[in-house]
């Protein structure tokens, strides 16, 4: 009896597609199929993750930029110190100004300082000839009256270097010194000073005008004074030296006589300028 051969079932054909779950396993072991926006992928086995705080990452620069970082970080501190110094200096200056203003105000209220008054007591003129053709050398003796009667508590120190001048029709005739002396409160002082001039040349028009004024018995003259003055409050307190300017318009009937004059105009700076 012949052996019978039974056909074996054919093996299943090889499939090109992997079994289910194989792709997911391969993708997990290698790289993700698409980027995830929900978080970082889990680390592979044997990997350690060290988390650094965000502020520490931002505040600790790399070693190669540490110097520049330190310089840039120090700028705000320097600016703050500079602003504080400027504010402190401004406040100090403002405080000193307020204290000085308060001090001047108190002194003014206590002493009530007033400017002195001046007048010309007499004039004696020699060497002024209206008919002279050559240059003139006038000689003038002037008596000036300084009145400090308006000040009850304030003395006046007339410093050296003051000057008194006499002019006619805008032409300077002679000049002399203002003496230095101290004038007590409520004091009136009359002093004499010698004025000298040289090389004075009057124009033809000025000569004619001077001759007419002499014939009429009214020769107008201007007496100007610039005097360095310092106020004295009590025995210790004194102000800075300030120039006081005075101008006296006088009229004499003769060139050697007492003038007919009014009170001189005095120009002085305000009290706050004296400090």
């Amino acid at each position: 009896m012949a052996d019978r051969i039974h056909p074996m079932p054919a093996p299943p054909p090889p499939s090109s597609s992997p079994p289910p779950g194989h792709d997911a396993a391969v993708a997990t072991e290698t790289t993700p199929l698409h980027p995830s926006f929900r978080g970082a992928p889990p680390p592979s086995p044997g990997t350690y993750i060290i988390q650094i705080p965000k502020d520490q990452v931002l505040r600790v620069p790399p070693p190669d930029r540490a110097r520049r970082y330190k310089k840039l970080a120090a700028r705000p501190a320097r600016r703050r110190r500079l602003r504080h110094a400027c504010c402190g200096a401004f406040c100090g200056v403002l405080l000193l100004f307020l204290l000085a203003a308060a001090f001047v105000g108190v002194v003014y209220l206590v002493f009530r300082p007033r400017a002195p008054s001046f007048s010309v007591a007499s004039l004696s003129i020699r060497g002024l000839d209206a008919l002279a053709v050559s240059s003139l050398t006038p000689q003038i003796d002037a008596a000036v009256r300084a009145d400090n009667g308006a000040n009850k508590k304030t003395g006046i120190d007339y410093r050296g270097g003051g000057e008194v001048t006499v002019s006619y029709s805008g032409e300077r005739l002679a000049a002399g010194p203002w003496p230095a002396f101290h004038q007590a409160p409520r004091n009136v002082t009359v002093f004499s000073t010698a004025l000298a001039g040289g090389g004075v040349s009057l124009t033809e028009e000025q000569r004619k005008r001077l001759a007419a004024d002499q014939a009429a018995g009214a020769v107008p003259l201007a007496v100007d004074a610039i005097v360095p003055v310092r106020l004295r409050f009590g025995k210790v307190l004194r102000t800075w030296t300030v120039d006081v300017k005075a101008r006296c318009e006088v009229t004499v009937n003769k060139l050697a006589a007492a003038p007919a004059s009014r009170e001189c105009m005095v120009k002085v700076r305000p009290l706050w300028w004296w400090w």
Side-chain angles (χ1 to χ4, degrees):
M1 177 183 228
D3 293 335
R4 302 178 67 177
I5 298 174
H6 299 278
M8 297 292 293
S15 175
S16 59
S17 60
H22 179 73
D23 292 340
V26 174
T28 302
E29 294 177 359
T30 58
T31 57
L33 296 180
H34 56 81
S36 176
F37 297 97
R38 296 184 179 180
S44 58
T47 302
Y48 297 92
I49 298 177
I50 301 176
Q51 295 184 354
I52 301 177
K54 182 178 181 181
D55 58 347
Q56 185 176 356
V57 174
L58 295 177
R59 297 188 182 200
V60 180
D64 57 339
R65 298 187 179 181
R67 175 181 290 183
R68 179 172 177 80
Y69 173 80
K70 186 176 180 180
K71 183 183 296 185
L72 294 176
R75 286 184 180 179
R78 287 199 301 268
R79 291 176 181 174
R80 286 194 298 269
R81 289 195 297 268
L82 181 60
R83 286 196 297 267
H84 292 166
C86 292
C87 292
F90 176 77
C91 293
V93 171
L94 181 60
L95 179 61
L96 290 177
F97 177 78
L98 295 177
L99 291 177
F103 177 74
V104 172
V106 171
V107 170
Y108 179 81
L109 293 176
V110 172
F111 291 92
R112 299 284 183 177
R114 296 290 185 271
S117 60
F118 308 103
S119 61
V120 179
S122 65
L123 283 176
S124 178
I125 305 174
R126 300 178 303 275
L128 185 61
D129 189 0
L131 302 178
V133 179
S134 60
S135 60
L136 305 175
T137 57
Q139 303 293 324
I140 303 176
D141 294 328
V144 180
R145 183 176 184 269
D147 189 352
N148 192 34
N151 287 312
K152 300 179 180 179
K153 299 180 180 180
T154 304
I156 299 177
D157 291 333
Y158 294 97
R159 316 285 289 174
E163 185 182 42
V164 182
T165 62
V166 176
S167 58
Y168 170 77
S169 186
E171 183 68 28
R172 181 170 174 173
L173 300 179
W178 182 292
F181 63 93
H182 169 73
Q183 190 172 29
R186 298 182 178 181
N187 176 264
V188 177
T189 301
V190 179
F191 63 90
S192 298
T193 180
L195 314 179
V200 178
S201 298
L202 298 178
T203 62
E204 186 67 24
E205 182 181 356
Q206 288 174 340
R207 289 194 184 95
K208 293 180 180 179
R209 186 183 304 170
L210 178 59
D213 292 339
Q214 289 178 349
V219 180
L221 298 174
V223 181
D224 295 289
I226 300 178
V227 190
V229 171
R230 187 172 62 180
L231 300 182
R232 181 185 294 187
F233 303 107
K235 297 182 179 181
V236 179
L237 186 59
R238 293 179 177 87
T239 63
W240 299 106
T241 301
V242 176
D243 288 341
V244 174
K245 299 179 181 180
R247 184 177 182 86
C248 307
E249 301 286 348
V250 301
T251 302
V252 295
N253 53 1
K254 297 180 181 179
L255 294 183
S261 67
R262 60 178 181 271
E263 200 76 12
C264 302
M265 296 178 60
V266 178
K267 183 184 295 185
V268 62
R269 289 173 177 172
L271 179 64
W272 58 265
W273 187 268
W274 295 57
W275 300 92

